[in-house]
Amino acid sequence: MRHLFWIAIALFTAVTAHAAFALFVPGWWFSRSVERMAAEHGDNRFFVLSPEEQAQLFPGLPRFGVTGLCIFDVSAGDVTFSANLPDGYWVTTIYTDKADAIYSVNNRQSGANTFTVSLSRAPNLIEQILQATDKERPEIDSGWTVMSPEARGLAVVWYPTPESGLRPIAARAVARSSCAAVN
């Protein structure tokens, strides 16, 4: 009976440790990578990742593809992400700081290679109640609107290239995109 008790404790500890690692550590690592890149490149700016940065942040993506990022911070106000992408297959995904995907669109779904997404902070419960009693609130009319439950996140553009020699050409084309705070 005593051995059964310790086996149950060991099993419970193993399950708890595994669940904690699987649920919380990946988001924490992603958040740390976002903080590091924000310190290097700045918030509310669009930039193209080097193949090394891309492999570190998104290890599952092929290295010769092009990944562009906008690390946005909507704590001080809305941010506008304007994508200007080349023809071909591409995917744009917006993540929270904890790696939760909150919006995704590809070239077939959007129907255009040039579009704008307005990023803003999602209201909490009290703000929702207060807004329900307010009159109309002015909105940014720029295309799509995405509300993030967290103040910081990133908009990611991925454009695959069939071979590594085309990466510099695709990177110049993807770099035409922009990200800026709305004043």
Side-chain angles (χ1 to χ4, degrees), residues 70-114:
C70 164
I71 299 176
F72 63 86
D73 185 356
V74 294
S75 60
D78 294 348
V79 173
T80 300
F81 168 61
S82 298
N84 189 351
L85 304 170
D87 287 334
Y89 180 76
W90 51 262
V91 177
T92 298
T93 305
I94 299 173
Y95 295 96
T96 66
D97 189 41
K98 304 292 187 248
D100 295 326
I102 55 176
Y103 183 78
S104 187
V105 66
N106 65 30
N107 62 312
R108 295 184 125 200
Q109 293 167 331
S110 76
N113 291 334
T114 303

Side-chain angles (χ1 to χ4, degrees), residues 74 95-96 100 102 120-123 146-152:
V74 294
Y95 295 96
T96 66
D100 295 326
I102 55 176
S120 61
R121 179 80 191 246
V146 176
M147 295 180 141
S148 174
E150 297 177 25
R152 180 176 267 172

Side-chain angles (χ1 to χ4, degrees), residues 76-182:
D78 294 348
V79 173
T80 300
F81 168 61
S82 298
N84 189 351
L85 304 170
D87 287 334
Y89 180 76
W90 51 262
V91 177
T92 298
T93 305
I94 299 173
Y95 295 96
T96 66
D97 189 41
K98 304 292 187 248
D100 295 326
I102 55 176
Y103 183 78
S104 187
V105 66
N106 65 30
N107 62 312
R108 295 184 125 200
Q109 293 167 331
S110 76
N113 291 334
T114 303
F115 59 90
T116 302
V117 178
S118 298
L119 302 163
S120 61
R121 179 80 191 246
N124 61 31
L125 182 61
I126 294 171
E127 291 170 336
Q128 288 178 9
I129 293 169
L130 292 175
Q131 286 177 1
T133 61
D134 284 347
K135 299 288 181 195
E136 282 188 41
R137 182 178 144 217
E139 301 256 345
I140 303 169
D141 185 21
S142 62
W144 297 303
T145 301
V146 176
M147 295 180 141
S148 174
E150 297 177 25
R152 180 176 267 172
L154 46 121
V156 178
V157 173
W158 179 61
Y159 185 85
T161 56
E163 60 185 61
S164 62
L166 297 175
R167 188 183 192 288
I169 298 166
R172 282 192 300 276
V174 170
R176 295 182 304 212
S177 299
S178 66
C179 180
V182 176

